[in-house]
Amino acid sequence: MSSVSVYSDNDGSVSVSSDQGDASVISTPSSFRENRFSLKRTGQRPYTFSGSEICTSTSHSVGPALWYELNVYRSHEGQYIVEIKMFNKNGKFKDRNSVFEVSSIEELSSFLEHYDPAGDISNNVSLEGDDMPLSLLALEGIALKIRIEEARNQFKDLAGELLYQLNSH
């Protein structure tokens, strides 16, 4: 399931949801106004700015071991801020938070279309020492490839829905 909510500043807030499962999740801001945001970034200081949230989306569902949340903001200066959150159900892997800044809707579209979530996936296999059997190393490699493909599929589906909804409004 993926859910996309688009907010419009024309008449307060308009929320549009798109789902691919049995249920949809709709989030609507209390009002569309400029706020101060401090966005968490993995391994970096928070990204702080003034602006408005214009769109949010999530691919969360019961089955997959990971899911994405995308949030798009417009800064007071007119930049678009893209917040990408990847969550893992498996405690072995850490969640990731990234923030990117683009200058236009066209650049936002291009960024989301070309973003490769493979960089979001960590490998927790210790390659130190020579005592790891090749069969275990091969299994870990296959598991990593599966996680990368799942992340790419989740992100691609979610980004496509988000871009469709943004284009529709």
Side-chain angles (χ1 to χ4, degrees):
M1 175 183 79
S2 65
S3 173
V4 178
S5 298
V6 179
Y7 311 132
S8 169
D9 61 349
N10 297 336
D11 56 356
S13 67
V14 174
S15 180
V16 177
S17 177
S18 171
D19 69 339
Q20 297 174 346
D22 297 336
S24 64
V25 178
I26 301 174
S27 40
T28 306
S30 56
S31 65
F32 192 86
R33 63 180 180 278
E34 193 164 290
N35 293 308
R36 186 99 176 124
F37 294 95
S38 183
L39 307 179
K40 182 178 175 181
R41 297 186 295 175
T42 302
Q44 298 178 313
R45 293 183 206 165
Y47 184 92
T48 305
F49 66 98
S50 293
S52 301
E53 183 176 32
I54 60 172
C55 187
T56 185
S57 59
T58 182
S59 64
H60 184 263
S61 64
V62 177
L66 64 88
W67 71 93
Y68 277 91
E69 179 181 304
L70 299 176
N71 299 297
V72 179
Y73 305 85
R74 182 103 191 244
S75 73
H76 178 70
E77 294 80 23
Q79 300 293 316
Y80 290 91
I81 313 301
V82 182
E83 179 182 34
I84 301 174
K85 298 179 182 181
M86 187 200 64
F87 300 96
N88 285 283
K89 290 181 184 173
N90 183 342
K92 179 179 173 183
F93 304 106
K94 295 188 182 220
D95 298 340
R96 296 194 45 89
N97 298 298
S98 304
V99 177
F100 303 92
E101 185 178 299
V102 296
S103 58
S104 66
I105 287 288
E106 292 79 21
E107 193 176 338
L108 171 66
S109 297
S110 179
F111 173 80
L112 291 174
E113 289 169 350
H114 295 97
Y115 181 80
D116 187 1
D120 297 336
I121 305 299
S122 61
N123 183 15
N124 289 354
V125 175
S126 174
L127 299 177
E128 294 181 22
D130 298 331
D131 58 348
M132 180 180 276
L134 287 177
S135 57
L136 180 57
L137 187 58
L139 286 174
E140 290 291 343
I142 292 168
L144 178 61
K145 182 174 179 167
I146 290 169
R147 287 196 313 275
I148 289 171
E149 285 307 308
E150 177 66 23
R152 285 178 173 156
N153 290 335
Q154 290 262 348
F155 188 86
K156 183 173 92 174
D157 291 347
L158 188 59
E161 282 295 319
L162 186 140
L163 292 171
Y164 173 77
Q165 295 298 332
L166 280 175
N167 192 47
S168 299
H169 293 88

